[in-house]
DNA sequence: CGGCAAACTTGACCCAGATCAAGGAATCGC
DNA sequence: GCGATTCCTTGATCTGGGTCAAGTTTGCCG
């Protein structure tokens, strides 16, 4: 991976400190992380990692949005993860990446060289515990997404996607002025995430607008006029 | 969960010892596991865990096949995981199950009470390391399945499923005499796993038979006559 | 500002796979 | 052995979302 190397900010002032992989670390452990971390930034559209490439770094997303994608031999692609600030990239114990990682917006990463990070991991229970939690949360999310991809209609997929944005926006800075939400992805990227085509995404968004459930300010930002109606469309059952 | 409690076998003689969550444990650690484990068995079709239920146990599959399933409010279901011998059920740190677990065949589990297991986990690096590996492997598998569910055709889905059976059968005892493979699931369950209907599954299996790629001995067992042709249909690119 | 490209919307048409329906074939209990 | 039930196959038809094809809007660069 090639990217601009930035000057670091202090971990104590880091906006993702409370949720990232380092959130449980304090004192000496944090000092070590502080020492081995390097900030890197990527422009929107830049590829952060290629599938199959050697993975020398693991990283946390500090700012921006990145996507994890898989591709079939004929070029069809499916997004298998959306990385928002505080999400973790990389997998200790594996030295190659299993998918492409692309910056969907301008992205800043907090990178750790893999080897030192792995060494630290084996002597820092706070770090490895948090990493297990993160991996298991991702697994839950992946399974929810399997239900969406395998069984939901286009309408339900879009509603679920926006519902998820609402849930994460509170924490992640996906908001615009006046409670408006920002779509972190283009229509094509949303389609890739939902297992649809960009035309279907566009039509379903238009339909939600026509029904008075959404109001668009511009192509990338909108207001949810009826969160309850939206939630009803997701198809999720009541249990959370 | 209600099930028959069986007499345990010794860990040293356990068929899944080399791959299960306990595979890295030796000596004293293994003795503790041996002491807190309880074998339970379930009949084909029995529900092992209900979604939302308190999860007092974690377990490894010793014999048989179980499924993880999610359901939408109107009853559509999607399988989100297939548990073969040595696979792990449960998530330390969570006290409720996120999905239904059902015995697809007669199943024997090696169960550990969750609390003692979690305690052991925090003092046994061999155990927690293996658990992280298992979680991350499952995450990889879930992401591969997202690609399948979101982008593959019915034909590619079936081919991928059988290709996966071939890969795991060597280890898992899914084989019948003369290199025949056993389908561990009914047509309906396969459909649930692949995001299809049972009719489509049946038609695609018939098509593979008609093309001379598969030969069926009976409904549940078959021989792959042309593994290469099958693999070509999966749509997976060359990189592994 | 104006010309162009990228991103999006909308319409017309089509097709893979769902749905609906009608048998077969294996398995179970008696 | 024989009904009955469950599981599977196959056919006919339908439809949601894909594909193809214009347009429209936005934003960018000279």
């Amino acid at each position: 991976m090639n990217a601009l190397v930035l000057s670091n900010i202090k971990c104590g002032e880091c906006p993702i400190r409370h949720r990232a992989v380092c959130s449980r670390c304090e004192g000496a452990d944090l000092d070590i992380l502080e020492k081995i971390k390097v900030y890197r930034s990527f422009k929107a559209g830049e590829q952060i990692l290629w599938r199959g490439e050697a993975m020398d770094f693991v990283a946390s997303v500090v700012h921006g949005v990145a996507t994890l994608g898989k591709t079939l031999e004929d070029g069809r692609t499916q997004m298998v993860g959306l990385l928002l600030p505080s999400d973790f990239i990389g997998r200790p114990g594996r030295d190659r990446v299993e998918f492409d990682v692309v910056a969907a917006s301008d992205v800043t990463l907090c990178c750790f060289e893999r080897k030192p990070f792995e060494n630290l991991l084996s002597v820092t229970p706070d770090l490895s515990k948090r990493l297990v939690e993160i991996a298991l949360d991702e697994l839950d999310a992946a399974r929810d997404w399997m239900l969406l991809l395998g069984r939901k209609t286009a309408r339900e997929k879009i509603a679920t996607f926006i519902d998820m944005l609402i849930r994460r926006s509170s924490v992640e800075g996906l908001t615009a002025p006046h409670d408006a939400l920002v779509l972190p992805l283009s229509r094509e990227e949303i389609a890739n995430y939902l297992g649809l085509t960009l035309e279907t995404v566009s039509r379903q968004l238009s339909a939600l607008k026509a029904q008075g459930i959404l109001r668009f300010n511009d192509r990338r930002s909108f207001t949810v006029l009826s969160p309850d109606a939206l939630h009803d469309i997701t198809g999720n059952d009541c249990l959370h």
Side-chain angles (χ1 to χ4, degrees), chain A residues 3-9 37-42 62-63 107-111:
Chain A
L4 205 61
V5 175
L6 303 179
S7 60
N8 294 349
I9 63 169
K37 84 180 184 190
V38 180
Y39 272 44
R40 283 188 159 73
S41 75
F42 298 83
V62 180
H63 293 296
V107 166
T108 303
L109 300 182
C110 176
C111 302

Side-chain angles (χ1 to χ4, degrees), chain A residues 147-166:
Chain A
L147 175 61
L148 175 144
L149 291 172
R151 295 301 183 195
K152 287 189 178 180
T153 64
R155 188 175 164 72
E156 290 167 335
K157 285 176 174 181
I158 293 282
T160 306
F161 175 65
I162 296 173
D163 201 52
M164 181 208 70
L165 286 182
I166 295 172

Side-chain angles (χ1 to χ4, degrees), chain A residues 98-195:
Chain A
E98 290 289 305
F99 30 69
D100 297 313
V101 182
V102 178
S105 65
D106 290 352
V107 166
T108 303
L109 300 182
C110 176
C111 302
F112 309 101
E113 267 189 76
R114 196 162 65 84
K115 285 294 169 199
F117 185 85
E118 285 177 5
N119 294 340
L120 193 59
L121 205 56
S122 60
V123 297
T124 314
D126 288 340
L127 196 60
S128 62
K129 263 205 179 142
R130 182 74 191 113
L131 192 60
V132 175
E133 274 179 18
I134 288 174
L136 291 172
D137 285 343
E138 275 189 87
L139 187 56
D140 285 347
R143 284 174 167 159
D144 281 336
W145 222 248
M146 286 171 67
L147 175 61
L148 175 144
L149 291 172
R151 295 301 183 195
K152 287 189 178 180
T153 64
R155 188 175 164 72
E156 290 167 335
K157 285 176 174 181
I158 293 282
T160 306
F161 175 65
I162 296 173
D163 201 52
M164 181 208 70
L165 286 182
I166 295 172
R167 238 178 311 116
R168 289 207 65 173
S169 67
S170 50
V171 196
E172 312 297 344
L174 293 173
T175 50
H178 313 294
D179 315 311
L181 284 173
V182 173
L183 284 176
L185 302 175
S186 70
R187 302 293 186 268
E188 185 172 15
E189 288 167 322
I190 296 171
N192 267 339
Y193 198 25
L194 299 176

